[in-house]
Amino acid sequence: MSETTSAAETAAPHRYTAAMAADIEARWQDFWDAEGTYEAPNPTGDLAGDPELAARPKKFIMDMFPYPSGAGLHVGHPLGYIATDVFARHQRMTGHNVLHTLGFDAFGLPAEQYAVQTGTHPRVSTEANIENMTAQLRRLGLGHDKRRSFATIESEYYKWTQWIFLQIFNSWYDTEADRARPIAELVEQFESGARPTPDGRDWSALSAAERADILGEYRLAYASDAPVNWSPGLGTVLANEEVTADGRSERGNFPVFKAKLRQWNMRITAYADRLLNDLDGLDWPEAIKLQQRNWIGRSEGARVDFPVDGSDSITVFTTRQDTLFGATYMVLAPEHELVERIIPAAWPEGTNTVWTGGYASPAEAVAAYRKLAAAKSDVERQAEAKDKTGVFTGAYATNPVSGEKVPVFIADYVLMGYGTGAIMAVPAHDARDFAFARAFELPMRCVVEPSDDRGTDPSTWEDAFGSYDAKLVNSANDEISLDGLGVVDAKARITEWLKAHGVGEGTVNFRLRDWLFSRQRYWGEPFPIVYDEDGIAHPLPESMLPLELPEVDDYSPRTFDPEDADTQPETPLSRNADWVNVTLDLGDGNGPKKYRRETNTMPNWAGSCWYELRYLDPNNDQKLVDPAIEQYWMGPREGQPTGGVDLYVGGAEHAVLHLLYARFWSKVLHDLGHISSVEPFHKLYNQGMIQAFVYRDSRGIAVPAAEVEERDGQFYYQGEKVSRVLGKMGKSLKNAVTPDEICTEYGADTLRLYEMAMGPLDVSRPWDTRAVVGQYRLLQRLWRNVVDEETGEVTVVDTEPGEETLRALHKAIDGVGQDMAGMRFNTAIAKVTELNNHLTKAGGPLSRSVAESLVLLVAPLAPHIAEELWRRLGHTESVVHQDFPVADPAYVVDETVTCVVQVKGKVKARLEISPSITDEELEALALADPAVVAALDGAGIRKVIVRAPKLVNIVPA
């Protein structure tokens, strides 16, 4: 601490200083913990408490799960935590039973990578990080119910993550009932014959493997051989959502390739319509809803079957079925399963050499092209490359409306992850098809009449033409004609024809793909699945949960050259043979048998898909959650028809990952009767980011921001000029400021006030350590208004405040209360500051009623100093559960307001009048005012415009 501050303390021994703040804050944090001040009672169970408090309206307020990073917190991290704490405190003071707590999302890649580098077990480093972050968060005075906190790595927690996985595995989606049902009910349908098997045989005639394969086509959690995103550099596969727009891994920025592997998936696509429709009832930012809608990607069109020589047919989904007569070739994704089946032994006679890629046979051409395509990301494949690539499969399909034979190609611009992995190419009316047709000398047919003067011969065109305003041409056969129809009518007519002829039907398609749920990592939840000698997956019985992670010598998945696509995953768990190969009695009547455990682990998203439910009933080892407790905190109610958390605060970066996955799990659990809420989070609020200046030297390397000097608008580090740009705050950028530093320098209450006062909560803002002192001085003035700095005695008096002070106080109460409820904490602080400044300028001791109201106003924002002042004012109960002040309407309304009177648009008078004055009364006053009379100078009046109580505009004749 500086000599100046020390001198000030000596002169005023009871001044509010950083040292006093530290003492006050530590004492009250200990008190809150000892007294269980923030414990929210459940209506029943082991956490039931004060029935009077439980009978109040509830508020469940949540922050997005923090990951316990080894770097600890910088001042940007607590922004949302402080905001929810302020809001929660205000809700407690306005009569609510508030559940507010915080746990840790502790599985994931960073701890595993740290373990690989240092040899430290991920649990050891993660628990140390949790301990450090818990201490940092406690210092901020966050009002969490600590009985409800947990980490996802605790076996008591992930037992239920595994249990939920088994519920999903043992479920199927009944499209007729539009909900998930137990798989046992589907088996009953097959056994009874109510639902036929795919080949018509009796269920009893099928082998165990055949039954398992059929059920796998229905299960909501299933294993399949499918194209996946494989990152050799990470040694693991990734979900679509974990791949960046550049086709690289979100974590580590490694190249991502397509590979075919057997992996676990969640059939989230079964819920696509519900995930889309239920967004309407959520109180979420429209930008987040739009991202989810775009990710789900619902589109209406038609399924069309193109027969292929032999017994197969290629199914496409198109939103422009009206252009079917213009389809002159087809393209399959290189990974499409039909490719091997339709390739002939040799090129058909007369095959254009441009189509062959220079290879002697279709098989050679396809194999070579597939290898090239596998080395590209989805983004690279969809990029508008100048040169289109592809190869003819040697097979032809039949256009169902024209009867023409059309060649079937494979090309990398068609992806398996969208539609059916196959397209009908209409080159005259699609830019990519047009370019491909030009490159491969393929025919083009105009079927949509151009609105410009290009004519109807596509061979003369420079680009494709497509329009929803145009008419169809060249689109007729012996049974149907679309010629002359508009697009909408043509779509309807061709769709009816396709269905009538059994070659297609109208359908809906989604961009959303099933959720890849396997990871080739160690530090994640083990799957509660074992495989028998036939490779059939069996769920572990609930009595065997949790299946705990075993110890391994090597935590790292095998990684490869990041550019080497010809590699395969090798999981850390597969190296522990004693754990992998087991003899178990699964309780299915087959007795003890040998099994092989699943050696993949769940993704880091698994634990955060349901953690809001564990907060409700954290010690329950018999049920996922007590239904009465879940209904109390999250059940549907007026204004919240799908239920859920009342307020969920976190970053917008989770728009489609965590939020979409959690919504899916909630819907499955609801369908199966385990919870009453259909949606996990009713109201979502995205806080902005605290940014900081990044300083870089001439090499572009970040230098320590704290050591940079500013001279004449330029910035220097150790004498060298450096550049400055506003960006993220972080350890690697050498611009991180820790909350511990600010708490030591000014106190936690000052840090809380500064972060809330920086600007609107949902807007990013730059950190400026020099500006923190402004909120520190506010707290010092607040302290001086109640406590004598010389004696430490309270200075309030038991007298009634004056009229002016009452008006200032009640206006502040009214404004701060509204701002708190609306999460406008910056303007709430401005109003508190204005009131405090008014009281300071008024001089003299404060009336007790004013001092107490002032303390209550600031309590949600700066709880430690408020608790201390409340106790010094003579109260024995915590300020946390006191009633928030209520404004007297009589003092909120101004006693008078200033009305401007204009004549010919120029101000001629200002009247001090009652805010409740009528238009008629105000007009009479204005016309009688001497200055107005003089300005009119006897002229008549053509019009008087009155806007009570602020304006009168007089227009002379």
Side-chain angles (χ1 to χ4, degrees), residues 182-507:
I183 200 75
E185 295 180 13
L186 180 65
V187 173
E188 287 175 10
Q189 292 181 16
F190 281 125
E191 287 177 337
S192 68
R195 182 183 293 266
T197 61
D199 63 5
R201 286 185 292 162
D202 286 344
W203 187 253
S204 59
L206 303 179
S207 68
E210 287 173 325
R211 294 178 190 174
D213 286 345
I214 291 172
L215 293 179
E217 295 298 315
Y218 290 86
R219 292 185 188 274
L220 289 179
Y222 64 95
S224 70
D225 293 312
V228 295
N229 301 305
W230 165 237
S231 174
L234 285 176
T236 189
V237 299
L238 302 169
N240 291 340
E241 296 87 345
E242 294 174 300
V243 181
T244 68
D246 299 324
R248 304 178 76 85
S249 62
E250 189 177 48
R251 182 170 293 280
N253 196 37
F254 290 109
V256 176
F257 305 97
K258 283 297 180 186
K260 201 164 189 178
L261 301 170
R262 190 161 186 83
Q263 302 289 311
W264 282 98
N265 296 273
M266 293 276 182
R267 207 179 299 276
I268 191 173
T269 49
Y271 283 83
D273 266 323
R274 286 171 60 184
L275 288 168
L276 195 61
N277 296 336
D278 287 353
L279 284 170
D280 293 338
L282 300 180
D283 185 3
W284 285 19
E286 282 304 317
I288 300 296
K289 288 185 179 182
L290 181 61
Q291 286 185 66
Q292 290 223 349
R293 289 189 181 106
N294 289 342
W295 191 262
I296 295 166
R298 186 182 193 276
S299 55
E300 295 186 13
R303 171 185 62 77
V304 186
D305 296 327
F306 285 71
V308 182
D309 296 338
S311 59
D312 286 305
S313 66
I314 298 172
T315 299
V316 303
F317 171 82
T318 177
T319 59
R320 290 301 303 267
Q321 60 268 41
D322 56 304
T323 65
L324 191 50
F325 282 93
T328 57
Y329 67 97
M330 301 192 75
V331 184
L332 301 180
E335 307 87 356
H336 201 291
E337 62 178 7
L338 277 180
V339 174
E340 285 96 342
R341 299 212 297 269
I342 65 174
I343 295 174
W347 294 117
E349 187 176 344
T351 297
N352 189 329
T353 55
V354 177
W355 298 2
T356 67
Y359 291 92
S361 70
E364 292 175 80
V366 166
Y369 189 79
R370 278 180 152 180
K371 189 170 184 179
L372 287 173
K376 295 182 181 180
S377 70
D378 284 0
V379 173
E380 289 174 312
R381 286 171 58 170
Q382 287 195 299
E384 292 296 332
K386 186 176 180 181
D387 298 321
K388 294 296 177 188
T389 65
V391 70
F392 180 40
T393 63
Y396 284 85
T398 301
N399 184 320
V401 295
S402 68
E404 294 176 343
K405 295 286 189 181
V406 295
V408 181
F409 285 74
I410 59 171
D412 60 11
Y413 76 92
V414 177
L415 305 175
M416 277 306 299
Y418 299 92
T420 63
I423 66 163
M424 62 175 211
V426 184
H429 307 293
D430 179 272
R432 289 184 304 170
D433 294 348
F434 185 92
F436 191 90
R438 279 280 170 89
F440 287 88
E441 302 174 6
L442 289 158
M444 293 187 272
R445 180 178 297 111
C446 174
V447 293
V448 177
E449 187 176 44
S451 56
D452 51 28
D453 58 1
R454 68 175 66 199
T456 58
D457 180 4
S459 66
T460 65
W461 296 357
E462 293 299 320
D463 51 30
F465 173 79
S467 172
Y468 267 88
D469 300 325
K471 301 293 184 184
L472 273 292
V473 295
N474 301 323
S475 298
N477 61 26
D478 292 342
E479 299 179 14
I480 185 173
S481 174
L482 307 181
D483 292 345
L485 295 179
V487 170
V488 175
D489 291 339
K491 280 186 176 185
R493 184 171 296 183
I494 194 65
T495 302
E496 291 176 9
W497 188 92
L498 290 169
K499 185 173 183 180
H501 286 73
V503 291
E505 63 180 344
T507 188

Side-chain angles (χ1 to χ4, degrees), residues 3-210:
E3 293 180 12
T4 307
T5 307
S6 299
E9 286 181 13
T10 304
H14 296 280
R15 175 169 293 173
Y16 183 82
T17 61
M20 178 183 282
D23 173 64
I24 289 172
E25 289 162 7
R27 278 193 291 106
W28 285 111
Q29 287 161 15
D30 289 343
F31 173 86
W32 293 330
D33 285 350
E35 295 295 315
T37 302
Y38 302 108
E39 293 178 358
N42 280 342
T44 186
D46 65 317
L47 298 187
D50 181 358
E52 186 177 327
L53 182 53
R56 292 181 176 185
K58 63 88 190 180
K59 281 288 180 188
F60 185 5
I61 299 165
M62 266 181 64
D63 300 277
M64 286 190 184
F65 242 178
Y67 180 81
S69 163
L73 300 176
H74 60 63
V75 292
H77 292 126
L79 178 67
Y81 306 148
I82 294 170
T84 53
D85 186 62
V86 173
F87 184 74
R89 288 175 181 278
H90 179 254
Q91 292 297 304
R92 285 191 195 95
M93 297 177 75
T94 53
H96 295 85
N97 182 23
V98 177
L99 192 167
H100 189 213
T101 190
L102 195 69
F104 293 92
D105 191 13
F107 276 125
L109 197 55
E112 187 172 278
Q113 290 177 327
Y114 184 75
V116 171
Q117 294 163 9
T118 64
T120 307
H121 193 285
R123 181 175 295 280
V124 173
S125 60
T126 301
E127 288 179 346
N129 294 344
I130 289 174
E131 186 176 350
N132 178 49
M133 284 182 66
T134 299
Q136 286 186 297
L137 292 167
R138 183 180 189 269
R139 195 170 181 183
L140 298 175
L142 303 176
H144 293 150
D145 184 344
K146 296 181 179 179
R147 305 170 303 166
R148 300 174 184 266
S149 184
F150 55 81
T152 55
I153 59 174
E154 297 165 8
S155 59
E156 298 87 354
Y157 180 82
Y158 71 73
K159 163 188 175 178
W160 294 105
T161 307
Q162 293 171 335
W163 181 87
I164 295 171
F165 173 83
L166 292 179
Q167 304 309 301
I168 299 172
F169 174 76
N170 284 319
S171 301
W172 63 292
Y173 200 85
D174 184 342
T175 54
E176 292 182 6
D178 202 22
R179 66 177 180 86
R181 294 172 61 185
I183 200 75
E185 295 180 13
L186 180 65
V187 173
E188 287 175 10
Q189 292 181 16
F190 281 125
E191 287 177 337
S192 68
R195 182 183 293 266
T197 61
D199 63 5
R201 286 185 292 162
D202 286 344
W203 187 253
S204 59
L206 303 179
S207 68
E210 287 173 325

